[in-house]
Amino acid sequence: MTVALSGKEIAPKLEKQFPGSVIESSEDSLLIKPESLLDLASFLKTTAEFNFNYLTTITAVDYRDYFEVVYILTSLEHNHSLKLKARCHDRKNPSLPSVFSLWRAADLQEREIFDLFGIKFDGHPNLKRIVLWEGFPGHPLRKDWQGGD
Amino acid sequence: MAIKTESFVLNFGPQHPSTHGVFRMRMTLNGEVVVDMEPVFGYLHRGIEKVAEERTYKQNIPFTDRLDYLASMSNNLAYCLAVEKLAGIPVPERAEYLRVIIAEMQRIASHLIAVGAFLNDCGAFMTPILYMIREREKILDLFEMVSGQRLTYNFMRFGGVSQDIPEEFMPALEKIIAEMPGFIDEYDRLLAENEILLARAKGVGILPKELAINIGASGPVLRGSGVKWDIRKADPYSIYGRFEFDIPTGTVGDCYDRYRVRVEEMRQSVRIIKQAMEQLPEGEVLTEVPLRLRPPKGEAYGRIEAPKGELGFYLVSDYSPNPYRFHIRAPSFINLTALRDMAIGWKIADAIIAFGSIDICMGEVDR
């Protein structure tokens, strides 16, 4: 079985390395500061204890007050996984650092989130719409999108 | 005098028989050699993730059929597992076995098309795929018996399957399972050492192991590159923990390896179905679930090893009858990340082989 690592157990280890990076930890996930996302992700990927070499999925959820981007990381070697979350509160201009440099799996998935939620991923080399065409009005997976008929 | 040359852009597709749907490869070519390539898609985007937010959980089952329409049963299963995880719905023993039998039949049917269409791309036009379609028909006959449909089955339900199998199902299944190893041997005789396949696929479109992991590849694409990772073993869902089977892997990660992995996986699926048929218990096949199901507030990620790779549903519930968020982790979509690396440096014809060897379904890529 893939062991879902407990956010509560990992949080102190990450806090020790990067003080102030974890906002909230629960049994199944870790909510982290957007600014420390890249450092944390890189640490989780390269440390032998975690070895999260596989990015299973990235997705976003619009909670109206903020966007939550969810990263599910897996280690194929240790067969464990971790759910990382980061929030963007700025609805006008939401942005997060891109994890493209760590996992190229983010390539198409970040583009999809950019297309459907309008969240910018800084550092993505080819951030443009993927399933909708250029000029499409708005970002349809936002809860306040008014484009359907 | 040197002849002046320059690279040029060629739009390959979206309407083209070897793009397996409406898919465009924007290739930059130097003569016939691909120097850069960008996949362009979205022509089949129906916004299923948005539509699903305005339907009840149960109304969304038929939408999942329309993702990877060559493996609708697997999509049903993945979605039902995610909802069951979210709402804590138990599944009767008999339904679990039926699910496994049907999901593995679906894997064989999907791989048959994958292998057949791949041979089509290689230039063995239409002959191999007709052998594959011959067997796939029999599997579709079985699916028609249980669901009344041949493509979009809408068969699985939260807490089991929609109905028990009819009387004529088991004898027909036994017949197919008895014959299937012979058919797979036949494909091997025809194809494994086939000059067309060897010349076109060996050493072409290599995806190294590290890159396969880094781009998040899954299914036969990942295993073809030599990574022993199968969710049925790594994170057994349903009752997969009870069956014996092996994970076939490739060695170099070329198109031929991906082809081999698919053929071997069909044999393993037959093995699993045989065991499941022996152990199939009597009993109920469906737990009663309210029509307007309201899962408790929270989120769940349910995943399966679909024929094309890891298929996952990330659901968020706000205790209303409709999902608050309905995200599909589609294997074909993410496997496409590898296409550019596989194609660069090869000729156009090889890029098509590399594309065919990923085995994508546009319904799932665009969603």
Side-chain angles (χ1 to χ4, degrees), chain A residues 95-107:
Chain A
S95 79
L96 275 178
S98 166
V99 293
F100 180 92
S101 54
L102 296 168
W103 299 282
R104 280 190 40 204
D107 185 357

